[in-house]
Amino acid sequence: MEVTDGFDLTLDEHVATLTFDRPAKRNAVTAAMWRALPGILADLAADAKVRVLVLTGAGGTFCSGADISEIHELGDNEDDTGLTVVAEHALMTFPKPVIAMIEGYCVGGGCQLALACDLRVAADGARFGVTPAKLGIVYPLSSTRRLAEIAGPATAKLLLFSAELIGADHALRTGLVDEVCRPEDLRERVYGLAATMAGRSRLTLAAAKQIIDGRAGEAEVRAWQREARESGEMAEGVRAYREGRSPGFSWDAK
């Protein structure tokens, strides 16, 4: 699968890894990269081989945010539809589990994209910041609300008001990240978690993500439950449990 310059994409078993690959620029995201991200994600969503996505950065840095030299190409976000928001929304609504594997700097647009992932696992030396106050920029509505929902209003205000960077331990305490590992353990933890998820029922994961993210009501939940019964997914899970073996889940999104 071809991707825009600035990204690297690999697939190992059922786990895809999308890497910000501009280490000389601390993986700053160009306008072309923001523009390309929704299409890359759509292709990965449609690929049955991909069950889990890991988002990370090359060269010891996750992402330092948008490339400031191209800031005028990103849109003014007056209607919350600038390039960064469109890319963030595409990542947030990606139908499969997404894990952000974070080391080094996770700042600005990089933090925006990390927060659109389902889980964030960081190395203990990672640094986080949301820095529009340094540039006189108003952060997008959807991004600001998501930051406040995940990390809490006080932490959102601390980050947005000060534009200062916080460490991984501080980020963990506020919920900005979900786990912190030693740098030498980060890859093993993330890919071990991804492999575990890849072996679970894709139907259960897809339903759970939709429900938790508030994109399913009672009717959708009942439809998921009916699909679990009629597809044989639930029967296989129960049968495998009784037989003491790993289940052979076969459901895939239509």
Side-chain angles (χ1 to χ4, degrees):
M1 186 183 298
E2 293 185 4
V3 293
T4 300
D5 287 347
F7 287 115
D8 181 65
L9 178 62
T10 60
L11 178 63
D12 184 10
E13 296 292 334
H14 294 293
V15 179
T17 301
L18 183 62
T19 303
F20 301 112
D21 194 15
R22 299 183 73 213
K25 297 291 185 179
R26 287 184 174 173
N27 298 326
V29 183
T30 65
M33 291 168 67
W34 287 109
R35 197 173 287 114
L37 187 55
I40 294 170
L41 293 170
D43 288 343
L44 291 170
D47 189 339
K49 296 188 297 294
V50 176
R51 299 184 183 179
V52 180
L53 174 63
V54 173
L55 184 68
T56 192
T61 291
F62 181 75
C63 176
S64 62
D67 190 324
I68 299 303
S69 68
E70 299 184 3
I71 196 165
H72 296 296
E73 296 185 45
L74 300 181
D76 58 17
N77 288 311
E78 286 185 0
D79 58 358
D80 222 30
T81 56
L83 287 180
T84 68
V85 173
V86 172
E88 175 191 19
H89 181 75
L91 185 57
M92 186 174 62
T93 57
F94 186 72
K96 305 170 186 182
V98 186
I99 305 171
M101 182 169 68
I102 302 167
E103 54 186 340
Y105 289 99
C106 179
V107 179
C111 197
Q112 181 181 0
L113 290 174
L115 287 168
C117 298
D118 297 303
L119 296 171
R120 288 156 295 282
V121 183
D124 61 16
R127 304 277 286 170
F128 299 82
V130 185
T131 56
K134 284 187 174 181
L135 300 168
I137 296 169
V138 176
Y139 210 49
L141 174 64
S142 58
S143 309
T144 303
R145 286 183 172 171
R146 188 165 180 82
L147 173 63
E149 287 170 1
I150 291 174
T155 297
K157 289 176 181 178
L158 171 66
L159 292 170
L160 284 164
F161 291 1
S162 72
E164 292 181 348
L165 304 186
I166 64 173
D169 286 344
H170 189 164
L172 180 65
R173 291 196 303 273
T174 64
L176 193 65
V177 299
D178 303 293
E179 292 188 28
V180 174
C181 305
R182 297 184 304 172
E184 60 268 31
D185 297 332
L186 180 64
R187 185 177 181 86
E188 180 179 0
R189 173 55 180 156
V190 168
Y191 284 101
L193 185 58
T196 295
M197 291 178 181
R200 304 305 190 199
S201 167
R202 282 160 281 170
L203 184 151
T204 300
L205 270 58
K209 180 164 181 172
Q210 193 178 85
I211 294 165
I212 292 167
D213 289 348
R215 292 182 285 113
E218 287 292 339
E220 289 78 13
V221 172
R222 286 195 297 271
W224 279 117
Q225 291 169 338
R226 185 168 57 252
E227 177 74 4
R229 293 191 302 270
E230 295 177 355
S231 67
E233 195 82 343
M234 185 171 68
E236 167 59 14
V238 172
R239 187 165 50 245
Y241 175 79
R242 288 174 175 168
E243 295 172 359
R245 60 174 174 83
S246 297
F249 293 122
S250 59
W251 182 91
D252 202 357
K254 306 297 188 291

